[in-house]
C-alpha cells in the first residue's frame, strides 16, 4: 500500500464520481449548482411525501423549477453525495474486499497492544489479596484476570516480569 492510499479518507471511486458530477456542471457555476441541488432534494422529498417510495410517474404539485437540461446532471451529483454520506455513516465495508481486510488484520496483529492496566495496578491488586502469603495462587490469578478483563496467561506473564 502506498502512503497516498492510506491517507485518503474516501475511496478513489467515490471521489472521482463526485468530481465528475461537479465537472458536468462547471458551466452552471458553483452557486447555481448548489441552488439546483437544494431544489432537487426538496423536490425529491415532496415527491416521496406525496406518492411514497414506489409510485412511479405520479404527478406532484408544488415542485421547484430545475431546467430540464440540468436535471439529470443534478440527479447524478445528488447520487454521488448520497454514496459519500453512506460511506461516512458506516458504509465503508461496502468498499472493502476480503483481501484488504486480511491485510489490515495482519498489520494490526503485528502492532503492540496497549495494556488496560499498569504494573502498579497489578502489584496493588495482588498485595490487597495477600499474594505473597497465599496458598491458593491460582484463584488470585484468576480473580485478577477477571478484574482486569484479561486472560490468566497475561497476569502470569506480568507477574513473572515483575518478579512476583
Amino acid at each position: 500500500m502506498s502512503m497516498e492510499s492510506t491517507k485518503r479518507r474516501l475511496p478513489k471511486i467515490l471521489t472521482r464520481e463526485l468530481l465528475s458530477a461537479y465537472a458536468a456542471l462547471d458551466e452552471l457555476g458553483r452557486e447555481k449548482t448548489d441552488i439546483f441541488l437544494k431544489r432537487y432534494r426538496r423536490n425529491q422529498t415532496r415527491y416521496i411525501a406525496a406518492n411514497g417510495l414506489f409510485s412511479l410517474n405520479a404527478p406532484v404539485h408544488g415542485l421547484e423549477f430545475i431546467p430540464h437540461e440540468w436535471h439529470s446532471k443534478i440527479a447524478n451529483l445528488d447520487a454521488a453525495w448520497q454514496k459519500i454520506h453512506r460511506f461516512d455513516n458506516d458504509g465503508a465495508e461496502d468498499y472493502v474486499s476480503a483481501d484488504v481486510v486480511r491485510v489490515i488484520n495482519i498489520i494490526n496483529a503485528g502492532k503492540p497492544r496497549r495494556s488496560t492496566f499498569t504494573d502498579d495496578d497489578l502489584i496493588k491488586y495482588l498485595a490487597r489479596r495477600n499474594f505473597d502469603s497465599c496458598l491458593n495462587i491460582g484463584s488470585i490469578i484468576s480473580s485478577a484476570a477477571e478484574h482486569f478483563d484479561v486472560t490468566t496467561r497475561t497476569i502470569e506473564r506480568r507477574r513473572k516480569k515483575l518478579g512476583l
Side-chain angles (χ1 to χ4, degrees):
M1 267 190 267
S2 70
M3 286 300 286
E4 178 189 327
S5 65
T6 57
K7 291 187 180 198
R8 242 186 296 115
R9 207 173 78 72
L10 296 170
K12 276 185 185 180
I13 190 75
L14 293 181
T15 305
R16 286 181 186 154
E17 188 174 339
L18 185 65
L19 292 175
S20 174
Y22 271 116
L25 295 161
D26 271 349
E27 67 182 81
L28 189 59
R30 182 63 183 235
E31 187 177 327
K32 204 69 159 156
T33 298
D34 289 344
I35 290 170
F36 285 161
L37 181 60
K38 289 176 185 174
R39 284 182 186 175
Y40 177 82
R41 289 176 175 167
R42 285 191 298 263
N43 286 347
Q44 290 297 103
T45 303
R46 287 183 182 127
Y47 186 83
I48 292 169
N51 299 314
L53 287 173
F54 303 110
S55 181
L56 299 173
N57 299 325
V60 176
H61 299 289
L63 296 180
E64 298 180 55
F65 176 71
I66 298 173
H68 178 70
E69 62 270 12
W70 298 110
H71 194 273
S72 64
K73 294 176 183 178
I74 294 292
N76 291 341
L77 178 61
D78 181 58
W81 273 116
Q82 283 183 21
K83 288 178 184 177
I84 287 177
H85 291 306
R86 204 173 304 123
F87 176 85
D88 279 344
N89 296 323
D90 298 327
E93 66 272 0
D94 295 341
Y95 295 89
V96 179
S97 70
D99 291 339
V100 172
V101 170
R102 186 179 53 77
V103 169
I104 290 170
N105 288 338
I106 289 170
I107 291 169
N108 287 339
K111 291 180 181 177
R113 288 163 182 74
R114 285 193 178 170
S115 178
T116 57
F117 61 99
T118 65
D119 290 343
D120 289 338
D121 293 337
L122 181 59
I123 291 169
K124 288 177 188 175
Y125 184 86
L126 295 177
R128 280 189 306 226
R129 304 281 186 288
N130 297 322
F131 184 76
D132 294 335
S133 61
C134 181
L135 296 175
N136 192 357
I137 293 173
S139 67
I140 293 177
I141 290 174
S142 295
S143 68
E146 189 175 318
H147 176 75
F148 293 115
D149 196 26
V150 294
T151 64
T152 55
R153 179 74 185 116
T154 301
I155 299 296
E156 282 288 348
R157 198 176 316 115
R158 283 280 191 94
R159 183 180 70 84
K160 288 178 182 175
K161 184 183 100 176
L162 294 169
L164 298 175

